[in-house]
Coordinates of all heavy atoms in Angstrom, one line a residue:
K10 N 36.1 9.2 -24.9 CA 36.0 9.1 -26.4 C 34.5 8.9 -26.8 O 33.7 8.6 -26.0 CB 36.8 7.9 -26.9 CG 38.2 7.9 -26.5 CD 39.0 9.0 -27.2 CE 40.5 8.9 -26.9 NZ 41.3 9.9 -27.5
E11 N 34.2 9.2 -28.0 CA 32.9 9.0 -28.6 C 32.7 7.5 -28.9 O 33.7 6.8 -29.1 CB 32.7 9.8 -29.9 CG 32.7 11.3 -29.7 CD 32.3 12.0 -30.9 OE1 32.1 11.4 -31.9 OE2 32.2 13.3 -30.8
R12 N 31.5 7.1 -28.9 CA 31.2 5.7 -29.2 C 31.5 5.4 -30.7 O 31.3 6.2 -31.6 CB 29.7 5.4 -29.0 CG 29.3 3.9 -29.1 CD 28.1 3.6 -28.3 NE 27.0 4.4 -28.6 CZ 25.9 4.4 -27.8 NH1 25.8 3.6 -26.8 NH2 24.8 5.2 -28.2
E13 N 32.2 4.3 -30.9 CA 32.6 3.9 -32.3 C 32.2 2.5 -32.7 O 31.9 1.7 -31.9 CB 34.2 4.0 -32.3 CG 34.9 3.0 -31.5 CD 36.4 3.0 -31.7 OE1 36.9 3.7 -32.6 OE2 37.1 2.3 -30.9
F14 N 32.0 2.4 -34.0 CA 31.6 1.1 -34.6 C 32.7 0.1 -34.4 O 33.9 0.4 -34.6 CB 31.3 1.3 -36.0 CG 31.2 0.0 -36.8 CD1 30.0 -0.7 -36.7 CD2 32.2 -0.4 -37.7 CE1 29.9 -1.9 -37.4 CE2 32.0 -1.6 -38.4 CZ 30.9 -2.3 -38.3
V15 N 32.3 -1.2 -34.1 CA 33.3 -2.3 -34.0 C 33.0 -3.3 -35.1 O 33.9 -3.7 -35.8 CB 33.2 -2.9 -32.6 CG1 34.1 -4.1 -32.5 CG2 33.6 -1.9 -31.5
S16 N 31.8 -3.8 -35.1 CA 31.5 -4.9 -36.0 C 30.0 -5.0 -36.3 O 29.2 -4.5 -35.6 CB 31.9 -6.3 -35.5 OG 31.8 -7.3 -36.4
H17 N 29.6 -5.6 -37.4 CA 28.2 -5.8 -37.9 C 28.0 -7.1 -38.5 O 28.9 -7.7 -39.1 CB 27.9 -4.7 -38.9 CG 26.7 -5.0 -39.8 ND1 25.5 -4.6 -39.5 CD2 26.6 -5.7 -41.0 CE1 24.6 -5.0 -40.4 NE2 25.3 -5.6 -41.4
I18 N 26.8 -7.6 -38.3 CA 26.4 -8.9 -38.9 C 25.0 -8.7 -39.5 O 24.1 -8.2 -38.8 CB 26.5 -10.1 -38.0 CG1 26.2 -11.4 -38.8 CG2 25.5 -10.0 -36.8 CD1 26.6 -12.6 -38.0
G19 N 24.7 -9.1 -40.7 CA 23.4 -8.9 -41.4 C 22.5 -10.1 -41.1 O 22.7 -10.9 -40.1
G20 N 21.5 -10.2 -42.0 CA 20.6 -11.3 -41.8 C 21.2 -12.7 -41.9 O 20.7 -13.7 -41.3
S21 N 22.3 -12.8 -42.6 CA 23.0 -14.0 -42.8 C 24.3 -13.9 -42.0 O 25.0 -12.9 -42.0 CB 23.3 -14.3 -44.2 OG 24.3 -15.4 -44.4
E22 N 24.7 -15.0 -41.3 CA 25.9 -15.0 -40.5 C 27.2 -14.9 -41.4 O 28.3 -14.6 -40.9 CB 26.0 -16.3 -39.7 CG 26.1 -17.6 -40.5 CD 24.8 -18.2 -40.8 OE1 23.8 -17.5 -40.8 OE2 24.7 -19.4 -41.0
T23 N 27.0 -15.0 -42.7 CA 28.1 -14.9 -43.6 C 28.4 -13.4 -44.1 O 29.4 -13.1 -44.8 CB 28.0 -15.7 -44.9 OG1 26.8 -15.3 -45.6 CG2 27.8 -17.2 -44.5
T24 N 27.4 -12.5 -43.7 CA 27.6 -11.1 -44.1 C 28.0 -10.3 -42.8 O 27.3 -10.1 -41.9 CB 26.2 -10.6 -44.5 OG1 25.7 -11.3 -45.6 CG2 26.4 -9.1 -45.0
T25 N 29.3 -10.0 -42.8 CA 29.9 -9.3 -41.7 C 30.8 -8.2 -42.1 O 31.4 -8.2 -43.2 CB 30.7 -10.3 -40.8 OG1 31.8 -10.9 -41.6 CG2 29.9 -11.4 -40.3
F26 N 31.0 -7.2 -41.3 CA 31.9 -6.1 -41.5 C 32.6 -5.8 -40.2 O 32.1 -6.0 -39.1 CB 31.1 -4.8 -42.0 CG 30.5 -5.0 -43.3 CD1 29.2 -5.4 -43.4 CD2 31.2 -4.8 -44.5 CE1 28.5 -5.6 -44.6 CE2 30.6 -5.0 -45.7 CZ 29.3 -5.4 -45.8
Y27 N 33.8 -5.2 -40.3 CA 34.6 -4.9 -39.1 C 35.3 -3.5 -39.3 O 35.6 -3.1 -40.4 CB 35.7 -5.9 -38.9 CG 35.2 -7.3 -38.7 CD1 35.0 -8.2 -39.7 CD2 34.9 -7.8 -37.4 CE1 34.5 -9.5 -39.5 CE2 34.4 -9.0 -37.2 CZ 34.2 -9.9 -38.2 OH 33.7 -11.2 -38.0
A28 N 35.5 -2.8 -38.1 CA 36.3 -1.7 -38.1 C 37.7 -2.1 -38.4 O 38.2 -3.2 -38.0 CB 36.2 -0.9 -36.8
A29 N 38.5 -1.2 -39.1 CA 39.8 -1.5 -39.4 C 40.7 -1.8 -38.2 O 41.6 -2.6 -38.2 CB 40.5 -0.3 -40.2
S30 N 40.4 -1.2 -37.0 CA 41.2 -1.4 -35.8 C 41.0 -2.8 -35.2 O 41.9 -3.2 -34.4 CB 40.8 -0.3 -34.8 OG 39.4 -0.4 -34.5
V31 N 40.0 -3.5 -35.6 CA 39.8 -4.8 -35.0 C 39.8 -5.9 -36.0 O 39.8 -7.1 -35.7 CB 38.4 -4.9 -34.2 CG1 38.4 -3.8 -33.2 CG2 37.2 -4.9 -35.1
R32 N 39.8 -5.6 -37.3 CA 39.8 -6.6 -38.4 C 41.0 -7.6 -38.2 O 42.1 -7.1 -38.0 CB 39.8 -5.9 -39.7 CG 39.5 -6.9 -40.9 CD 39.4 -6.1 -42.2 NE 38.3 -5.1 -42.2 CZ 38.5 -3.8 -42.3 NH1 39.7 -3.3 -42.6 NH2 37.5 -3.0 -42.3
G33 N 40.7 -8.9 -38.3 CA 41.7 -9.9 -38.1 C 41.9 -10.3 -36.7 O 42.5 -11.4 -36.5
R34 N 41.3 -9.6 -35.7 CA 41.4 -10.0 -34.3 C 40.1 -10.3 -33.7 O 40.0 -11.2 -32.9 CB 42.0 -8.8 -33.5 CG 43.4 -8.4 -33.9 CD 44.0 -7.4 -32.9 NE 43.3 -6.2 -32.9 CZ 42.7 -5.6 -31.8 NH1 42.8 -6.3 -30.7 NH2 42.1 -4.5 -31.9
F35 N 39.0 -9.7 -34.2 CA 37.6 -9.9 -33.7 C 36.8 -10.7 -34.7 O 37.0 -10.5 -35.9 CB 36.9 -8.6 -33.4 CG 37.5 -7.8 -32.2 CD1 38.7 -8.2 -31.6 CD2 36.8 -6.7 -31.7 CE1 39.2 -7.5 -30.5 CE2 37.3 -6.0 -30.7 CZ 38.5 -6.4 -30.1
T36 N 35.9 -11.5 -34.2 CA 35.0 -12.2 -35.1 C 33.5 -12.1 -34.6 O 33.3 -12.4 -33.4 CB 35.3 -13.7 -35.2 OG1 36.7 -13.8 -35.7 CG2 34.4 -14.4 -36.2
I37 N 32.6 -11.7 -35.4 CA 31.2 -11.6 -35.0 C 30.5 -12.8 -35.6 O 30.7 -13.2 -36.8 CB 30.5 -10.3 -35.4 CG1 29.1 -10.2 -34.9 CG2 30.6 -10.1 -37.0 CD1 28.5 -8.8 -35.1
F38 N 29.6 -13.5 -34.8 CA 28.8 -14.6 -35.3 C 27.6 -14.7 -34.5 O 27.5 -14.1 -33.4 CB 29.6 -15.9 -35.4 CG 30.1 -16.4 -34.0 CD1 29.4 -17.4 -33.3 CD2 31.3 -15.8 -33.4 CE1 29.9 -17.8 -32.1 CE2 31.7 -16.3 -32.2 CZ 31.0 -17.3 -31.5
R39 N 26.6 -15.5 -35.0 CA 25.4 -15.6 -34.3 C 24.9 -17.1 -34.2 O 25.2 -17.9 -35.0 CB 24.3 -14.8 -35.0 CG 23.9 -15.3 -36.4 CD 23.1 -14.2 -37.2 NE 22.1 -13.5 -36.4 CZ 21.6 -12.3 -36.7 NH1 22.0 -11.7 -37.8 NH2 20.7 -11.8 -36.0
D40 N 24.0 -17.3 -33.2 CA 23.3 -18.6 -33.1 C 21.9 -18.3 -33.1 O 21.3 -17.8 -32.1 CB 23.7 -19.3 -31.8 CG 23.1 -20.7 -31.6 OD1 22.1 -20.9 -32.2 OD2 23.6 -21.4 -30.8
N41 N 21.2 -18.4 -34.2 CA 19.8 -18.0 -34.4 C 18.9 -18.8 -33.5 O 17.9 -18.2 -33.0 CB 19.4 -18.2 -35.9 CG 20.0 -17.2 -36.8 OD1 20.3 -16.0 -36.4 ND2 20.3 -17.5 -38.0
A42 N 19.2 -20.0 -33.2 CA 18.3 -20.8 -32.4 C 18.3 -20.3 -30.9 O 17.3 -20.5 -30.2 CB 18.8 -22.3 -32.3
K43 N 19.3 -19.6 -30.5 CA 19.4 -19.1 -29.2 C 19.2 -17.5 -29.2 O 19.3 -16.9 -28.1 CB 20.8 -19.4 -28.6 CG 21.1 -20.9 -28.4 CD 22.5 -21.1 -27.9 CE 22.8 -20.5 -26.6 NZ 24.2 -20.9 -26.1
N44 N 18.9 -17.0 -30.3 CA 18.8 -15.5 -30.5 C 19.9 -14.8 -29.8 O 19.8 -13.8 -29.1 CB 17.4 -15.1 -29.8 CG 16.2 -15.5 -30.6 OD1 16.2 -15.6 -31.8 ND2 15.2 -15.9 -29.8
T45 N 21.1 -15.2 -30.1 CA 22.3 -14.7 -29.5 C 23.4 -14.3 -30.6 O 23.6 -15.1 -31.5 CB 23.0 -15.7 -28.5 OG1 22.0 -16.0 -27.5 CG2 24.2 -15.1 -27.9
V46 N 24.0 -13.2 -30.4 CA 25.1 -12.7 -31.3 C 26.3 -12.6 -30.4 O 26.3 -12.1 -29.3 CB 24.8 -11.4 -31.9 CG1 26.0 -10.9 -32.7 CG2 23.6 -11.5 -32.9
Y47 N 27.4 -13.1 -30.9 CA 28.7 -13.1 -30.2 C 29.7 -12.2 -30.8 O 29.7 -12.0 -32.0 CB 29.2 -14.6 -30.1 CG 28.3 -15.6 -29.5 CD1 27.4 -16.3 -30.2 CD2 28.4 -15.8 -28.1 CE1 26.5 -17.2 -29.6 CE2 27.5 -16.7 -27.5 CZ 26.6 -17.4 -28.3 OH 25.8 -18.3 -27.7
L48 N 30.7 -11.8 -30.0 CA 31.9 -11.1 -30.5 C 33.1 -11.8 -29.8 O 33.3 -11.6 -28.7 CB 31.8 -9.6 -30.2 CG 33.0 -8.8 -30.7 CD1 32.9 -8.7 -32.2 CD2 33.0 -7.4 -30.1
Q49 N 33.8 -12.6 -30.6 CA 35.0 -13.2 -30.2 C 36.1 -12.2 -30.3 O 36.4 -11.8 -31.5 CB 35.3 -14.5 -30.9 CG 36.5 -15.2 -30.6 CD 36.5 -15.7 -29.2 OE1 35.5 -16.3 -28.7 NE2 37.6 -15.5 -28.4
M50 N 36.8 -11.9 -29.3 CA 37.9 -10.9 -29.3 C 39.2 -11.6 -28.9 O 39.4 -12.1 -27.8 CB 37.6 -9.7 -28.3 CG 36.2 -9.1 -28.6 SD 36.0 -7.6 -27.5 CE 35.9 -8.4 -25.9

């Protein structure tokens, strides 16, 4: 398959978007102090 979009987070952790196929199941969030972005599936 081709690569597909899953999730996005902007400059603020409150600005997020999800592909319809994962919405409600996946959560994207970040820890700025650790320079780390997470995807909880």
Side-chain angles (χ1 to χ4, degrees):
K10 305 292 185 180
E11 294 186 359
R12 187 153 55 188
E13 66 175 351
F14 168 77
V15 176
S16 187
H17 159 91
I18 186 166
S21 169
E22 64 269 25
T23 63
T24 304
T25 60
F26 297 95
Y27 299 91
S30 59
V31 307
R32 192 175 299 120
R34 299 187 297 121
F35 292 9
T36 303
I37 187 171
F38 61 100
R39 70 197 312 162
D40 184 339
N41 289 327
K43 298 172 63 176
N44 292 325
T45 302
V46 174
Y47 301 89
L48 184 68
Q49 178 67 44
M50 305 185 295

